[in-house]
């Protein structure tokens, strides 16, 4: 399986200028190639192949006065930018054909974007004995190693975030690290009053990192709004706001990693409800939904289950988990969110709304898993797959394990 490991980097002034130049060149190649394809589409011409774009917008462009500075950065950076554009188009077309969730068409990049990145393959970087990382035409970058890499990296992404921090993101191929099997299984009901409720009755309180930092963020935002546009003071104020948001995101990510790792270690199978987070993010609960970070948490559960030999399952979002009595199975009808406890009209059992939903998610997840196993046995040859094999490598997607994972 492929995992991504992130580390903080500390380039000096010369290296920051070299990285800024690399970011800009990669952006120019992306925009030039995207513009050519859009113009060809508007003119009714066939889709322009990558080989032709590489020849005209990289190789030949370096020989022109307008784009001669492209030769000052590593050619790998430029080629990877074109490959990333190809991937963006593939994801867009696959979404239209129903092969994956829909995404928008590739868009032009701006030099004003607060987040910049370049991607390199193994030919353009190397690990040094002194703990630094050599990046072609940038130099040896100082890195804070929070932990060692489990294997030799296959690619590297250098990123500058909105708060001015630099990160090195390595992709490595590793074998799953299976944990000892357990008998426990868990259904998880995600919410806002409690971040997560497990089917065994455990409630995980919502930390609300954004809400807790809101007072300071409002003060910094007011200061930013009072600065003249285009001034140096406004740029400084913007960085202060970005750093505060980065602190909130780091705390949330660290907490997600700790809680998801604990759940995976304690349960052999984990089932969650497939929530429509993008839809909820457009309601009056948007700030609380984004503060909770359900999607990131569920993604961590999924890849950690694969990594550690656990089972992960999703229950359909239209499953009436809050309407069915987990004791007798009778559907008791919809209830407003204000109702946190209710009694079944059939058997009289008194339920906590969230715990009852978690129990129903566990039951539905077990049923789906059993049905899938039965169907596989009926329709195919009974050849047991290797544990962790299914979903361990996905074309065009790499699971992410941050420096605080595990």
């Amino acid at each position: 399986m492929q995992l991504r490991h992130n580390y903080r980097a500390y380039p000096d002034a010369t290296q920051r200028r070299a990285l800024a130049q690399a970011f800009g060149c990669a952006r120019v190649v992306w925009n030039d190639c995207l513009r050519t394809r859009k113009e060809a589409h508007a003119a009714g011409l066939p889709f322009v192949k990558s080989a032709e774009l590489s020849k005209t917008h990289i190789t030949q462009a370096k020989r022109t006065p307008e784009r001669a500075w492209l030769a000052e950065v590593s050619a790998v950076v430029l080629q990877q930018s074109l490959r990333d554009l190809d991937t963006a188009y593939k994801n867009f077309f696959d979404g239209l054909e129903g092969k994956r969730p829909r995404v928008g068409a590739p868009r032009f990049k701006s030099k004003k974007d607060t987040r910049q990145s370049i991607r390199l393959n193994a030919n353009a970087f190397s690990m040094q004995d002194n703990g630094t990382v050599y990046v072609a035409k940038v130099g040896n970058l100082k890195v804070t190693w929070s932990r060692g890499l489990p294997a030799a990296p296959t690619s590297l992404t250098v990123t500058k975030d909105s708060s001015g921090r630099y990160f090195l993101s390595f992709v490595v191929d590793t074998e799953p690290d299976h944990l000892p099997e357990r008998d426990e299984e868990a259904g998880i009901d995600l919410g806002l009053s409690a971040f997560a409720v497990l089917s065994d009755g455990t409630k995980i309180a919502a930390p609300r990192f954004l809400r807790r930092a809101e007072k300071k963020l409002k003060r910094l935002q007011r200061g930013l709004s009072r600065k003249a546009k285009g001034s140096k003071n406004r740029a400084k104020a913007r960085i202060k706001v970005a750093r505060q948001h980065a602190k909130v995101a780091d705390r949330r990510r660290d907490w997600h990693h700790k809680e998801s790792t604990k759940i995976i270690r304690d349960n052999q199978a984990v089932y969650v409800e497939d929530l429509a987070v993008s839809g909820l993010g457009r309601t009056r609960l948007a700030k609380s939904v984004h503060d909770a970070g359900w999607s990131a948490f569920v993604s961590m559960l999924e890849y950690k289950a694969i990594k550690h030999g656990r089972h992960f399952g999703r229950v359909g979002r239209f499953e009436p988990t809050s309407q069915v009595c987990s004791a007798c199975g009778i559907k008791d009808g919809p209830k407003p969110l204000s109702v946190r406890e209710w009694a079944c009209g059939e058997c009289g059992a008194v339920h906590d709304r969230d715990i009852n939903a978690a129990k129903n998610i566990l039951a539905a997840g077990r049923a789906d898993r059993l049905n899938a196993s039965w169907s596989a046995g009926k329709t195919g040859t009974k050849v047991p797959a290797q544990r962790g094999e299914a979903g361990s490598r996905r074309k065009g997607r790499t699971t992410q394990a941050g420096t605080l994972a595990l």
Side-chain angles (χ1 to χ4, degrees):
M1 63 184 300
Q2 287 187 325
L3 293 177
R4 186 179 293 277
H5 293 258
N6 298 323
Y7 302 91
R8 182 81 179 270
Y10 297 90
D12 57 31
T14 303
Q15 292 170 341
R16 287 198 295 270
R17 286 193 292 271
L19 286 172
Q21 189 175 22
F23 295 150
C25 291
R27 182 182 64 250
V28 166
V29 169
W30 170 287
N31 289 343
D32 287 348
C33 296
L34 178 59
R35 185 178 299 107
T36 299
R37 283 180 170 168
K38 283 182 175 291
E39 291 174 351
H41 177 71
L45 299 176
F47 188 79
V48 184
K49 300 294 184 181
S50 299
E52 183 178 348
L53 292 175
S54 176
K55 179 181 178 180
T56 57
H57 293 299
I58 297 179
T59 305
Q60 294 178 358
K62 292 179 183 178
R63 302 169 186 165
T64 64
E66 296 81 8
R67 294 285 189 265
W69 33 265
L70 289 177
E72 298 177 9
V73 303
S74 171
V76 175
V77 171
L78 309 181
Q79 294 291 345
Q80 289 292 346
S81 182
L82 178 54
R83 292 192 184 100
D84 290 341
L85 179 62
D86 291 338
T87 301
Y89 265 108
K90 182 181 183 303
N91 292 339
F92 171 63
F93 291 136
D94 287 349
L96 295 179
E97 296 173 3
K99 297 179 181 179
R100 55 158 294 152
R102 285 200 173 195
V103 295
R107 295 182 295 180
F108 292 106
K109 295 183 178 181
S110 171
K111 64 180 180 180
K112 295 182 180 179
D113 290 342
T114 56
R115 186 182 184 278
Q116 304 283 344
S117 66
I118 55 173
R119 197 161 61 90
L120 308 160
N121 59 25
N123 297 326
F125 74 94
S126 61
M127 317 295 291
Q128 303 298 305
D129 294 336
N130 59 359
T132 61
V133 177
Y134 172 75
V135 176
K137 294 197 176 182
V138 175
N140 293 329
L141 296 178
K142 182 182 177 183
V143 183
T144 299
W145 297 100
S146 54
R147 58 177 175 174
L149 289 171
T154 58
S155 71
L156 167 66
T157 302
V158 183
T159 304
K160 179 186 177 183
D161 68 5
S162 59
S163 60
R165 301 181 299 177
Y166 291 84
F167 292 92
L168 302 185
S169 180
F170 299 92
V171 174
V172 296
D173 292 320
T174 61
E175 294 296 327
D177 180 20
H178 291 165
L179 293 172
E181 293 191 8
R182 300 180 64 94
D183 297 329
E184 295 84 355
E185 296 184 354
I188 304 176
D189 178 60
L190 299 174
L192 296 177
S193 56
F195 175 79
V197 178
L198 276 60
S199 52
D200 62 359
T202 303
K203 290 191 176 183
I204 302 175
R208 297 186 174 89
F209 293 107
L210 179 61
R211 297 287 186 181
R212 285 156 52 185
E214 210 166 23
K215 183 177 180 180
K216 186 173 183 179
L217 277 170
K218 286 181 179 179
R219 177 172 58 81
L220 294 174
Q221 289 282 10
R222 283 197 300 269
L224 174 62
S225 65
R226 291 167 181 163
K227 303 295 186 295
K229 290 185 178 181
S231 66
K232 292 185 177 180
N233 285 336
R234 186 177 179 86
K236 294 177 182 177
R238 185 201 64 76
I239 291 177
K240 288 182 180 179
V241 174
R243 286 176 178 170
Q244 186 61 27
H245 277 291
K247 287 182 180 179
V248 173
D250 289 344
R251 291 167 185 162
R252 183 187 298 115
R253 188 183 305 110
D254 177 44
W255 186 81
H256 280 167
H257 274 300
K258 291 176 180 177
E259 293 299 330
S260 59
T261 298
K262 182 179 179 182
I263 291 174
I264 291 298
R265 283 179 174 170
D266 293 344
N267 298 278
Q268 185 63 32
V270 176
Y271 307 97
V272 298
E273 191 173 11
D274 186 18
L275 296 173
V277 179
S278 59
L280 291 171
R282 293 191 293 268
T283 66
R284 61 184 179 85
L285 301 174
K287 183 180 290 187
S288 297
V289 170
H290 292 309
D291 191 13
W294 292 330
S295 295
F297 179 74
V298 172
S299 296
M300 290 179 187
L301 287 175
E302 185 174 9
Y303 88 75
K304 290 179 183 181
I306 297 171
K307 179 180 179 181
H308 295 301
R310 305 304 202 200
H311 176 78
F312 175 85
R314 294 177 186 264
V315 175
R317 65 184 61 171
F318 299 109
E319 192 76 22
T321 55
S322 298
Q323 304 178 27
V324 175
C325 173
S326 59
C328 65
I330 295 297
K331 187 175 180 180
D332 206 31
K335 302 164 186 64
L337 289 175
S338 59
V339 177
R340 309 312 303 172
E341 188 175 282
W342 57 279
C344 176
E346 182 71 18
C347 65
V350 179
H351 297 292
D352 178 281
R353 180 192 184 102
D354 298 327
I355 296 177
N356 178 72
K359 290 180 179 179
N360 287 329
I361 290 172
L362 174 61
R366 284 173 170 171
D368 289 344
R369 186 180 182 186
L370 181 62
N371 291 338
S373 300
W374 180 86
S375 176
K378 288 289 185 180
T379 59
T381 306
K382 294 184 179 180
V383 179
Q386 295 296 320
R387 290 184 59 191
E389 178 184 345
S392 61
R393 181 188 292 271
R394 299 182 181 182
K395 188 175 181 181
R397 177 181 176 186
T398 304
T399 54
Q400 179 171 350
T403 57
L404 297 172
L406 307 181

mmCIF file of all heavy atoms in Angstrom, residues 6 19 21 27 52 89 110-111 147 154 169 183 196 205 208 220 284-285 296 321 334 364 405:
data_model
loop_
_atom_site.group_PDB
_atom_site.id
_atom_site.type_symbol
_atom_site.label_atom_id
_atom_site.label_comp_id
_atom_site.label_asym_id
_atom_site.label_seq_id
_atom_site.Cartn_x
_atom_site.Cartn_y
_atom_site.Cartn_z
ATOM 1 N N ASN A 6 4.513 13.375 5.905
ATOM 2 C CA ASN A 6 4.790 14.809 5.800
ATOM 3 C C ASN A 6 5.785 15.237 6.869
ATOM 4 O O ASN A 6 5.683 14.815 8.034
ATOM 5 C CB ASN A 6 3.500 15.614 5.970
ATOM 6 C CG ASN A 6 2.488 15.314 4.895
ATOM 7 O OD1 ASN A 6 2.840 15.104 3.744
ATOM 8 N ND2 ASN A 6 1.221 15.275 5.276
ATOM 9 N N LEU A 19 12.868 27.872 -4.685
ATOM 10 C CA LEU A 19 11.568 27.199 -4.639
ATOM 11 C C LEU A 19 10.476 28.084 -5.223
ATOM 12 O O LEU A 19 9.586 27.599 -5.934
ATOM 13 C CB LEU A 19 11.228 26.822 -3.195
ATOM 14 C CG LEU A 19 12.008 25.638 -2.605
ATOM 15 C CD1 LEU A 19 11.717 25.488 -1.118
ATOM 16 C CD2 LEU A 19 11.655 24.350 -3.339
ATOM 17 N N GLN A 21 10.851 30.234 -7.560
ATOM 18 C CA GLN A 21 11.015 30.164 -9.011
ATOM 19 C C GLN A 21 10.459 28.858 -9.562
ATOM 20 O O GLN A 21 9.804 28.834 -10.614
ATOM 21 C CB GLN A 21 12.492 30.300 -9.371
ATOM 22 C CG GLN A 21 12.764 30.457 -10.854
ATOM 23 C CD GLN A 21 14.226 30.708 -11.144
ATOM 24 O OE1 GLN A 21 15.092 30.381 -10.333
ATOM 25 N NE2 GLN A 21 14.516 31.276 -12.304
ATOM 26 N N ARG A 27 3.715 26.521 -12.450
ATOM 27 C CA ARG A 27 2.404 27.152 -12.682
ATOM 28 C C ARG A 27 2.281 27.635 -14.126
ATOM 29 O O ARG A 27 1.221 27.477 -14.754
ATOM 30 C CB ARG A 27 2.238 28.324 -11.717
ATOM 31 C CG ARG A 27 0.898 29.033 -11.830
ATOM 32 C CD ARG A 27 0.796 30.225 -10.899
ATOM 33 N NE ARG A 27 1.757 31.268 -11.237
ATOM 34 C CZ ARG A 27 2.825 31.588 -10.502
ATOM 35 N NH1 ARG A 27 3.080 30.929 -9.391
ATOM 36 N NH2 ARG A 27 3.641 32.546 -10.879
ATOM 37 N N GLU A 52 2.837 16.335 -27.427
ATOM 38 C CA GLU A 52 2.905 17.572 -28.202
ATOM 39 C C GLU A 52 3.044 18.782 -27.291
ATOM 40 O O GLU A 52 3.809 19.714 -27.579
ATOM 41 C CB GLU A 52 1.653 17.704 -29.063
ATOM 42 C CG GLU A 52 1.659 18.926 -29.968
ATOM 43 C CD GLU A 52 0.430 19.002 -30.843
ATOM 44 O OE1 GLU A 52 -0.307 17.988 -30.911
ATOM 45 O OE2 GLU A 52 0.205 20.071 -31.446
ATOM 46 N N TYR A 89 -7.401 16.207 -15.812
ATOM 47 C CA TYR A 89 -8.343 15.963 -16.908
ATOM 48 C C TYR A 89 -8.945 14.565 -16.819
ATOM 49 O O TYR A 89 -10.141 14.374 -17.071
ATOM 50 C CB TYR A 89 -7.634 16.137 -18.250
ATOM 51 C CG TYR A 89 -7.790 17.512 -18.843
ATOM 52 C CD1 TYR A 89 -6.725 18.403 -18.885
ATOM 53 C CD2 TYR A 89 -9.017 17.928 -19.353
ATOM 54 C CE1 TYR A 89 -6.868 19.674 -19.427
ATOM 55 C CE2 TYR A 89 -9.169 19.201 -19.896
ATOM 56 C CZ TYR A 89 -8.098 20.069 -19.926
ATOM 57 O OH TYR A 89 -8.246 21.323 -20.459
ATOM 58 N N SER A 110 -3.121 30.829 -10.218
ATOM 59 C CA SER A 110 -2.733 32.220 -10.041
ATOM 60 C C SER A 110 -1.480 32.326 -9.185
ATOM 61 O O SER A 110 -1.288 31.541 -8.245
ATOM 62 C CB SER A 110 -3.865 33.015 -9.389
ATOM 63 O OG SER A 110 -3.440 34.318 -9.032
ATOM 64 N N LYS A 111 -0.639 33.305 -9.513
ATOM 65 C CA LYS A 111 0.556 33.520 -8.694
ATOM 66 C C LYS A 111 0.190 34.092 -7.326
ATOM 67 O O LYS A 111 1.023 34.127 -6.421
ATOM 68 C CB LYS A 111 1.521 34.456 -9.402
ATOM 69 C CG LYS A 111 1.006 35.859 -9.633
ATOM 70 C CD LYS A 111 2.049 36.696 -10.330
ATOM 71 C CE LYS A 111 1.553 38.129 -10.571
ATOM 72 N NZ LYS A 111 2.578 38.941 -11.262
ATOM 73 N N ARG A 147 9.815 11.208 12.569
ATOM 74 C CA ARG A 147 9.993 9.758 12.562
ATOM 75 C C ARG A 147 10.635 9.386 11.237
ATOM 76 O O ARG A 147 10.620 10.170 10.274
ATOM 77 C CB ARG A 147 8.664 9.017 12.718
ATOM 78 C CG ARG A 147 7.654 9.365 11.651
ATOM 79 C CD ARG A 147 6.388 8.567 11.787
ATOM 80 N NE ARG A 147 5.388 9.000 10.824
ATOM 81 C CZ ARG A 147 4.234 8.397 10.645
ATOM 82 N NH1 ARG A 147 3.942 7.338 11.353
ATOM 83 N NH2 ARG A 147 3.370 8.847 9.757
ATOM 84 N N THR A 154 9.160 7.112 -3.273
ATOM 85 C CA THR A 154 9.050 7.054 -4.733
ATOM 86 C C THR A 154 8.779 8.418 -5.341
ATOM 87 O O THR A 154 9.023 8.618 -6.530
ATOM 88 C CB THR A 154 7.916 6.099 -5.142
ATOM 89 O OG1 THR A 154 6.685 6.551 -4.553
ATOM 90 C CG2 THR A 154 8.207 4.690 -4.654
ATOM 91 N N SER A 169 6.533 16.159 1.439
ATOM 92 C CA SER A 169 5.579 15.056 1.507
ATOM 93 C C SER A 169 6.107 13.903 0.665
ATOM 94 O O SER A 169 6.178 14.013 -0.562
ATOM 95 C CB SER A 169 4.205 15.516 1.011
ATOM 96 O OG SER A 169 3.277 14.469 1.060
ATOM 97 N N ASP A 183 -12.212 -9.446 18.873
ATOM 98 C CA ASP A 183 -13.608 -9.839 18.695
ATOM 99 C C ASP A 183 -14.537 -8.637 18.596
ATOM 100 O O ASP A 183 -15.653 -8.760 18.104
ATOM 101 C CB ASP A 183 -14.056 -10.725 19.862
ATOM 102 C CG ASP A 183 -13.277 -12.030 19.922
ATOM 103 O OD1 ASP A 183 -12.880 -12.515 18.843
ATOM 104 O OD2 ASP A 183 -13.067 -12.550 21.036
ATOM 105 N N ALA A 196 -18.521 11.795 18.065
ATOM 106 C CA ALA A 196 -18.774 10.421 17.643
ATOM 107 C C ALA A 196 -19.341 9.641 18.809
ATOM 108 O O ALA A 196 -18.923 9.813 19.952
ATOM 109 C CB ALA A 196 -17.500 9.756 17.124
ATOM 110 N N ALA A 205 -16.435 13.423 22.928
ATOM 111 C CA ALA A 205 -16.864 14.820 22.917
ATOM 112 C C ALA A 205 -16.239 15.572 21.752
ATOM 113 O O ALA A 205 -15.118 15.295 21.336
ATOM 114 C CB ALA A 205 -16.504 15.499 24.239
ATOM 115 N N ARG A 208 -14.223 21.069 19.141
ATOM 116 C CA ARG A 208 -14.578 22.401 18.636
ATOM 117 C C ARG A 208 -13.369 23.343 18.621
ATOM 118 O O ARG A 208 -13.377 24.422 19.231
ATOM 119 C CB ARG A 208 -15.710 23.006 19.461
ATOM 120 C CG ARG A 208 -17.016 22.222 19.378
ATOM 121 C CD ARG A 208 -18.136 22.958 20.112
ATOM 122 N NE ARG A 208 -19.410 22.311 19.928
ATOM 123 C CZ ARG A 208 -19.882 21.353 20.719
ATOM 124 N NH1 ARG A 208 -19.179 20.951 21.756
ATOM 125 N NH2 ARG A 208 -21.070 20.799 20.486
ATOM 126 N N LEU A 220 -7.976 39.130 14.745
ATOM 127 C CA LEU A 220 -7.012 39.193 13.657
ATOM 128 C C LEU A 220 -7.677 39.558 12.333
ATOM 129 O O LEU A 220 -7.110 40.296 11.518
ATOM 130 C CB LEU A 220 -6.293 37.851 13.527
ATOM 131 C CG LEU A 220 -5.385 37.453 14.702
ATOM 132 C CD1 LEU A 220 -4.844 36.038 14.500
ATOM 133 C CD2 LEU A 220 -4.227 38.435 14.845
ATOM 134 N N ARG A 284 -27.144 26.017 7.664
ATOM 135 C CA ARG A 284 -26.806 26.903 8.783
ATOM 136 C C ARG A 284 -25.829 26.254 9.756
ATOM 137 O O ARG A 284 -25.269 26.932 10.623
ATOM 138 C CB ARG A 284 -28.087 27.309 9.519
ATOM 139 C CG ARG A 284 -28.856 26.133 10.108
ATOM 140 C CD ARG A 284 -30.154 26.575 10.739
ATOM 141 N NE ARG A 284 -30.918 25.457 11.283
ATOM 142 C CZ ARG A 284 -30.730 24.943 12.483
ATOM 143 N NH1 ARG A 284 -29.802 25.451 13.278
ATOM 144 N NH2 ARG A 284 -31.462 23.916 12.899
ATOM 145 N N LEU A 285 -25.641 24.947 9.618
ATOM 146 C CA LEU A 285 -24.688 24.233 10.478
ATOM 147 C C LEU A 285 -23.300 24.156 9.859
ATOM 148 O O LEU A 285 -22.446 23.420 10.348
ATOM 149 C CB LEU A 285 -25.204 22.808 10.733
ATOM 150 C CG LEU A 285 -26.578 22.676 11.391
ATOM 151 C CD1 LEU A 285 -26.995 21.219 11.433
ATOM 152 C CD2 LEU A 285 -26.570 23.270 12.789
ATOM 153 N N ALA A 296 -12.291 14.044 6.908
ATOM 154 C CA ALA A 296 -10.898 13.708 7.203
ATOM 155 C C ALA A 296 -10.817 12.562 8.206
ATOM 156 O O ALA A 296 -9.990 11.650 8.062
ATOM 157 C CB ALA A 296 -10.169 14.938 7.741
ATOM 158 N N THR A 321 -31.323 5.035 10.470
ATOM 159 C CA THR A 321 -30.686 4.597 11.720
ATOM 160 C C THR A 321 -31.271 5.278 12.950
ATOM 161 O O THR A 321 -31.219 4.721 14.051
ATOM 162 C CB THR A 321 -29.181 4.874 11.657
ATOM 163 O OG1 THR A 321 -28.959 6.267 11.364
ATOM 164 C CG2 THR A 321 -28.518 4.040 10.568
ATOM 165 N N PRO A 334 -39.710 9.320 11.814
ATOM 166 C CA PRO A 334 -38.706 10.385 11.973
ATOM 167 C C PRO A 334 -38.942 11.212 13.226
ATOM 168 O O PRO A 334 -40.074 11.334 13.704
ATOM 169 C CB PRO A 334 -38.886 11.226 10.704
ATOM 170 C CG PRO A 334 -40.298 10.964 10.282
ATOM 171 C CD PRO A 334 -40.589 9.544 10.666
ATOM 172 N N ALA A 364 -26.435 -2.737 10.434
ATOM 173 C CA ALA A 364 -26.504 -2.596 8.980
ATOM 174 C C ALA A 364 -25.156 -2.906 8.327
ATOM 175 O O ALA A 364 -25.103 -3.530 7.261
ATOM 176 C CB ALA A 364 -26.951 -1.175 8.622
ATOM 177 N N ALA A 405 0.337 10.789 12.772
ATOM 178 C CA ALA A 405 -0.435 9.541 12.723
ATOM 179 C C ALA A 405 0.205 8.494 13.610
ATOM 180 O O ALA A 405 1.415 8.443 13.770
ATOM 181 C CB ALA A 405 -0.517 9.024 11.284
#
